[in-house]
């Protein structure tokens, strides 16, 4: 069924639209905060300059100024603004994110490297109008010609080796003031995208300052750097990190601060760069990402800017930079904040007079920054969900949406398990999730919900026998129908269990997959006994329970075989057949009833657990809001205040005089 709004709109494009627009709406700001009005034509400017025209549109201009003032209001609490560096624009609670990476594949590509859609020729246009079939067209050389991509080493290291990154003195001072608020003597600092100036206040001396970039000449002129290395930050291992042994060789948890000044606009693989920064930072260390307004270096380095920086506004850039933190390590970052420290001389106007009023404005300056959290190495018995979430921060392939569904499942399973072996398996196997999700993400287009995917993934990594080896992953793909089924095992299993509910088939799959790839002959025989035992087991249950539905027959039959036959050393095939033959209808119905009762109990427990989690989140949020309200009320009702001019406390009314 086609989408009535736009059948051609992809999920990611809708997510991007919701992200960019919804971020403003969810924080109480106008959508206009993320929209850039088009520049007026010269003819319109001439008309506007007329006194009569100015008089007529005066009301409109006032409205626009009011709207701009509204959207420029900080999205941060009064407490945050008072206790942090000047210019705080977006507080840590204001960010809102979509569940998955919202950008299309070309958003962080240089504009001249984006493939242009093929232009229809006249013959094809006439064919579509007339309905007459057209003979296949031979591809021309122009259509198949590869796009020439910029060589970053040549561009930065040769062509622009002596081109300085010149910033306005006012913007430099604003950036130095911000650095002075956070940076301290003796810190170890890494600078990604380093050039001739790091803008560090003169009075601050680091113990170590490593510069990383492609311009060896300019890094050699930088007096702040104690050492440097030439690395292409856009050369990455997809979904992992920057592809540089030298950079990664600096070591995990090494630096107090990582700076990335005027660099983010040139990153074609930002998530991998931010993941690398997270890896290199010490827990509690800060990544600071300063950047200027979008036009600042267009004339100098515009060729290297990505589409996102060319087409989005400065407000949007703040949110986009924030999203790089979220979609690189998720909750592995905390205290994410956005600052606008632009000098007064850089404040820009919107509206029809923008072209005139913005002439001669100095550079704006924005900083987005966050702190690295401490990743837990063991599972906290009191708060296992937090521990499992922590272990998933840096996992690739697994979307944040999926991590948030898996963590509470694992936590609940961990709390309910009485087996230390199972608990150890859960903690050990978390890093196997990317292998599982490489298969599961292909199920997104089928009727296999995200909830079922997280359920299967949780069950698999909870099994002590699951290692994520090639045979197990192949078995998983065959079981999901992503590979041609093995005629000796998966084809009969799929055919004979076709009546089972999807959730029950997920359970069955989680029993079977870990049994593959063991290299154990007894386990191989157990798999053969399982598949060959399906049909006779179902036949016996049908004969004893004439009124039982086929789905229940398959459920109880696979459950019994999984418990008794699938793992070697429990029951032989002959022992199982003898035991099953002796069972009565009442006993089989009791097993089925207990099985369904356990499932209902598990669902109820999970809902209760989720409700408790949400109640705690709501409680914490209410406490925070109540505290902020108390602060505001206290300030409104206070009778004394400190007068810095006189250096003493005095009545509020007297100070106002």
């Amino acid at each position: 069924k086609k989408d009535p709004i736009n059948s051609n709109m992809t999920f990611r494009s809708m997510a991007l639209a919701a992200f960019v627009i919804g971020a403003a709406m969810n924080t109480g700001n106008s959508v206009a905060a993320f929209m850039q009005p088009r520049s007026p034509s010269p003819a319109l400017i001439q008309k506007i300059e007329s006194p009569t025209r100015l008089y007529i549109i005066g009301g409109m201009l006032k409205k626009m100024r009011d709207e701009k003032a509204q959207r420029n209001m900080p999205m941060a609490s009064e407490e945050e603004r008072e206790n942090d560096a000047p210019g705080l624009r977006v507080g840590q609670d204001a960010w809102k994110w979509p569940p998955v990476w919202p950008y299309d594949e070309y958003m962080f590509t240089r504009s001249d490297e984006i493939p242009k859609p093929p232009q229809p020729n006249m013959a094809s246009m006439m064919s579509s109008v007339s309905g007459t079939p057209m003979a296949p067209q031979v591809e021309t050389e122009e259509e198949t010609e590869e796009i020439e991509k910029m060589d970053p080493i040549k561009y930065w290291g040769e062509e622009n080796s002596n081109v300085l990154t010149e910033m306005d003195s006012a913007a430099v001072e604003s950036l130095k003031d911000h650095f002075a608020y956070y940076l301290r003597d003796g810190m170890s600092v890494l600078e990604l995208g380093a050039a001739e100036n790091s803008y560090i206040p003169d009075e601050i001396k680091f113990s170590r300052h490593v510069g990383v970039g492609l311009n060896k000449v300019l890094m050699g002129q930088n007096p702040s750097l104690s050492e440097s290395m030439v690395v292409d930050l856009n050369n990455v291992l997809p979904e992992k990190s920057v592809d540089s042994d030298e950079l990664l060789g600096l070591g995990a948890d090494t630096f107090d601060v990582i700076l990335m000044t005027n660099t983010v606009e040139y990153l074609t693989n930002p998530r991998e760069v931010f993941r690398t920064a997270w890896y290199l930072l010490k827990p509690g260390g800060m990544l600071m990402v300063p950047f200027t307004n979008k036009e600042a270096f267009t004339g100098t380095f515009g060729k290297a800017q990505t589409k996102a920086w060319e087409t989005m506004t400065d407000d949007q850039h703040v949110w986009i930079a924030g999203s790089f933190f979220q979609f690189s390590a998720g909750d592995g970052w905390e205290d994410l904040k956005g600052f606008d420290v632009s000098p007064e001389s850089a404040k820009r106007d919107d509206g029809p007079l923008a072209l005139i009023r913005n002439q001669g404005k100095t550079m704006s300056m924005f900083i987005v920054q966050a702190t690295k959290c401490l990743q837990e190495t063991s599972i906290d018995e009191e708060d296992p969900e937090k521990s499992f979430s922590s272990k998933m921060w840096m996992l690739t392939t697994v979307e944040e949406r999926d991590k948030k569904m898996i963590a509470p499942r694992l936590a609940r399973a961990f709390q309910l398990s009485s087996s230390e072996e199972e608990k150890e398996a859960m903690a050990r196997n978390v890093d196997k999730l990317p292998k599982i999700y490489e298969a599961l993400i292909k199920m997104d287009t089928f009727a296999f919900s995200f909830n079922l995917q997280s359920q299967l993934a949780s069950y698999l990594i909870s099994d002590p026998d699951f290692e994520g080896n090639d045979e197990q992953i192949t078995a998983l793909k065959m079981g999901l129908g992503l590979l041609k089924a093995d005629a000796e095992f998966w084809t009969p299993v799929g055919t004979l269990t076709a009546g089972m509910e999807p959730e029950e088939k997920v359970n069955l799959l989680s029993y079977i997959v870990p049994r593959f790839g063991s290299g154990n002959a007894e386990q191989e025989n157990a798999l053969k006994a399982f598949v060959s035992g399906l049909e006779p087991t179902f036949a016996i249950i049908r004969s004893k329970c004439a009124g039982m539905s086929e789905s229940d027959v398959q459920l109880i039959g696979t459950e019994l075989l999984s418990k008794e036959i699938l793992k070697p050393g429990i029951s032989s095939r002959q022992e199982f057949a003898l035991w099953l033959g002796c069972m009565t209808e009442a006993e089989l119905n009791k097993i089925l009833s207990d099985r369904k009762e356990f499932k209902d109990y598990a669902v109820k427990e999970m809902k209760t657990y989720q409700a408790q989690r949400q109640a705690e989140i709501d409680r914490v949020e209410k406490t925070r809001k109540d505290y902020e309200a108390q602060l505001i009320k206290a300030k409104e009702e206070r009778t004394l205040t400190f007068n810095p001019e006189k250096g003493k406390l005095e009545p509020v009314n007297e100070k106002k005089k």
Side-chain angles (χ1 to χ4, degrees):
K1 187 176 180 181
K2 290 187 176 181
D3 184 338
I5 298 175
N6 184 352
S7 60
N8 294 321
M9 182 175 286
T10 65
F11 173 75
R12 288 189 182 278
S13 62
M14 289 190 288
L16 175 59
F19 164 49
V20 172
I21 296 175
M25 296 176 67
N26 287 334
T27 51
N29 282 260
S30 167
V31 175
F34 297 89
M35 306 294 287
Q36 180 67 31
R38 290 183 298 173
S39 300
S41 66
L44 177 60
I45 292 176
Q46 289 178 3
K47 290 180 181 180
I48 291 173
E49 287 174 342
S50 160
T52 304
R53 293 281 179 183
L54 284 173
Y55 175 76
I56 293 173
I57 67 169
M60 180 186 73
L61 292 175
K62 182 180 184 301
K63 181 181 178 182
M64 291 177 67
R65 284 195 295 269
D66 292 343
E67 289 176 348
K68 180 184 177 183
Q70 173 65 28
R71 70 173 184 259
N72 284 339
M73 290 181 65
M75 290 173 273
S77 68
E78 185 175 351
E79 180 188 5
E80 284 180 306
R81 296 197 304 275
E82 286 189 355
N83 296 320
D84 217 315
L88 180 61
R89 178 78 182 278
V90 186
Q92 60 181 337
D93 297 321
W95 308 92
K96 305 294 179 185
W97 311 115
V100 297
W101 179 248
Y103 307 108
D104 66 44
E105 60 179 318
Y106 297 121
M107 182 60 74
F108 303 105
T109 302
R110 304 175 189 99
S111 292
D112 57 1
E113 295 177 7
I114 298 175
K116 294 179 174 55
Q119 297 297 319
N121 56 38
M122 184 59 69
S124 64
M125 292 173 65
M126 292 303 295
S127 172
S128 64
V129 172
S130 64
T132 306
M134 186 181 69
Q137 300 294 302
V138 178
E139 286 189 341
T140 65
E141 220 175 282
E142 184 179 352
E143 290 172 330
T144 58
E145 184 179 1
E146 289 188 8
I147 296 173
E148 184 179 353
K149 294 189 176 181
M150 186 186 83
D151 181 346
I153 297 176
K154 182 178 179 181
Y155 180 82
W156 295 105
E158 298 176 18
E159 297 173 5
N160 292 285
S161 61
N162 292 306
V163 179
L164 302 180
T165 310
E166 296 177 332
M167 289 207 305
D168 296 334
S169 59
V172 169
E173 288 307 311
S174 294
L175 182 57
K176 283 186 174 183
D177 288 344
H178 188 82
F179 282 167
Y181 192 91
Y182 293 99
L183 304 182
R184 296 292 179 267
D185 286 342
M187 282 183 163
S188 58
V189 175
L190 175 68
E191 185 172 353
L192 301 178
E196 79 282 0
N197 197 337
S198 299
Y199 313 106
I200 307 301
D202 295 336
E203 65 274 14
I204 296 177
K205 305 299 178 186
F206 300 138
S207 62
R208 185 185 187 191
H209 188 174
V210 182
V212 176
L214 283 174
N215 197 322
K216 187 175 182 179
V217 173
L218 293 186
M219 285 194 291
Q221 299 174 14
N222 189 330
S224 298
L225 301 181
S226 59
E227 54 193 286
S228 65
M229 59 181 68
V230 175
V231 175
D232 181 5
L233 294 176
N234 287 328
N235 179 26
V236 303
L237 298 169
E239 299 283 337
K240 294 181 180 178
S241 65
V242 175
D243 187 6
S244 169
D245 292 338
E246 187 177 13
L247 179 59
L248 297 176
L250 292 171
D253 306 337
T254 298
F255 295 96
D256 297 301
V257 172
I258 295 181
L259 305 176
M260 199 188 301
T261 305
N262 291 330
T263 298
V264 68
E265 56 263 51
Y266 309 114
L267 297 180
T268 56
N269 298 284
R271 282 186 292 181
E272 287 80 355
V273 177
F274 277 62
R275 284 188 181 123
T276 302
W278 190 93
Y279 168 79
L280 294 168
L281 271 175
K282 295 177 182 178
M286 182 181 291
L287 171 60
M288 306 177 77
V289 185
F291 53 89
T292 56
N293 52 293
K294 60 184 291 184
E295 311 88 358
F297 297 110
T298 301
T300 312
F301 306 119
K303 181 181 178 181
Q305 283 185 334
T306 61
K307 173 187 171 185
W309 232 255
E310 288 185 5
T311 58
M312 299 291 188
T313 67
D314 293 334
D315 281 330
Q316 289 170 330
H317 291 159
V318 171
W319 288 85
I320 290 172
S323 74
F324 297 160
F325 287 91
Q326 169 65 17
F327 293 105
S328 59
D331 292 337
W333 298 106
E334 63 182 355
D335 294 331
L336 176 61
K337 297 171 184 176
F339 294 83
D340 180 354
V341 297
S342 303
E344 283 300 319
S345 57
K347 303 300 183 183
R348 281 163 166 73
D349 292 311
D350 297 331
L353 296 181
L355 283 180
I356 298 172
R357 294 189 175 188
N358 289 338
Q359 290 181 2
K361 296 283 187 181
T362 57
M363 292 182 182
S364 301
M365 180 55 65
F366 308 92
I367 303 106
V368 181
Q369 62 190 45
T371 301
K372 175 180 176 177
C373 297
L374 175 64
Q375 189 170 33
E376 299 183 25
T377 56
S378 59
I379 305 300
D380 182 356
E381 297 276 351
E382 298 297 321
D383 191 357
E385 183 177 348
K386 180 182 176 184
S387 300
F388 282 116
S389 295
S390 170
K391 282 181 167 290
M392 290 189 284
W393 286 342
M394 293 295 284
L395 292 185
T396 59
T397 306
V398 189
E399 297 280 5
E400 289 300 315
R401 166 202 63 206
D402 303 310
K403 292 175 184 177
K404 291 186 184 302
M405 288 191 284
I406 293 170
R409 284 186 177 279
L410 289 176
R412 195 60 178 161
F414 188 88
Q415 289 175 326
L416 293 175
S417 177
S418 58
S419 167
E420 288 301 317
E421 188 181 19
E422 281 186 2
K423 289 184 176 182
E424 289 174 6
M426 292 181 209
R428 181 180 67 248
N429 287 338
V430 168
D431 61 357
K432 308 293 193 311
L433 283 169
K435 282 190 173 184
I436 297 171
Y437 268 89
E438 283 174 6
L440 292 181
I441 57 176
K442 297 174 183 176
M443 301 298 294
D444 287 357
T445 55
F446 301 94
F448 197 70
S449 69
F450 300 133
N451 188 52
L452 283 179
Q453 292 180 31
S454 67
Q455 180 177 322
L456 176 56
S458 302
Y459 287 165
L460 286 175
I461 68 172
S462 299
D463 193 308
D465 292 332
F466 183 75
E467 298 175 354
N469 59 47
D470 291 343
E471 288 186 61
Q472 290 175 341
I473 298 302
T474 297
L476 174 62
K477 291 179 179 179
M478 285 186 179
L480 293 171
L482 297 173
L483 289 178
K484 184 177 180 180
D486 179 348
E488 295 181 359
F489 187 88
W490 287 109
T491 296
V493 169
T495 302
L496 295 172
T497 61
M500 292 176 64
E501 296 292 326
E503 187 173 352
E504 302 301 350
K505 296 197 82 168
V506 163
N507 290 338
L508 177 59
L509 198 57
S510 72
Y511 289 146
I512 295 173
V513 169
R515 312 285 85 81
F516 280 84
S518 67
N520 184 320
E522 290 185 359
Q523 179 63 79
E524 297 299 322
N525 290 332
L527 284 166
K528 292 176 183 178
F530 174 85
V531 70
S532 62
L534 285 172
E535 200 160 8
T537 297
F538 293 165
I540 293 173
I541 295 172
R542 291 189 197 103
S543 68
K544 292 177 177 290
C545 306
M548 187 177 288
S549 69
E550 184 59 24
S551 62
D552 285 344
V553 168
Q554 294 174 14
L555 170 60
I556 192 173
T558 55
E559 191 83 7
L560 293 175
L561 281 166
S562 297
K563 297 294 186 185
E564 297 294 324
I565 296 294
L566 199 52
K567 279 190 174 185
I570 299 177
S571 298
S572 68
R573 184 172 176 177
Q574 292 74 20
E575 290 171 339
F576 177 77
L578 182 63
W579 170 68
L580 184 61
C582 293
M583 296 193 75
T584 65
E585 178 181 5
E587 288 173 329
L588 288 170
N589 278 315
K590 179 65 167 61
I591 292 173
L592 178 64
S593 175
D594 290 345
R595 172 65 175 76
K596 289 189 171 183
E597 192 174 295
F598 175 79
K599 175 187 172 183
D600 293 341
Y601 173 78
V603 170
K604 183 179 178 181
E605 280 287 291
M606 178 57 72
K607 288 182 178 179
T608 301
Y609 181 64
Q610 290 172 337
Q612 290 172 345
R613 288 173 62 243
Q614 189 59 49
E616 177 62 15
I617 292 171
D618 293 342
R619 184 193 68 77
V620 172
E621 178 65 13
K622 183 178 183 301
T623 301
R624 185 184 66 81
K625 289 182 177 180
D626 288 347
Y627 178 67
E628 289 181 358
Q630 290 172 8
L631 285 177
I632 293 172
K633 184 178 180 182
K635 289 177 181 178
E636 290 175 348
E637 296 179 353
R638 65 184 176 185
T639 57
L640 293 176
T641 187
F642 181 75
N643 190 329
E645 296 175 0
K646 298 181 180 179
K648 64 178 183 178
L649 290 169
E650 58 185 31
V652 173
N653 293 336
E654 181 179 327
K655 184 177 185 295
K656 289 181 179 179
K657 294 178 183 179

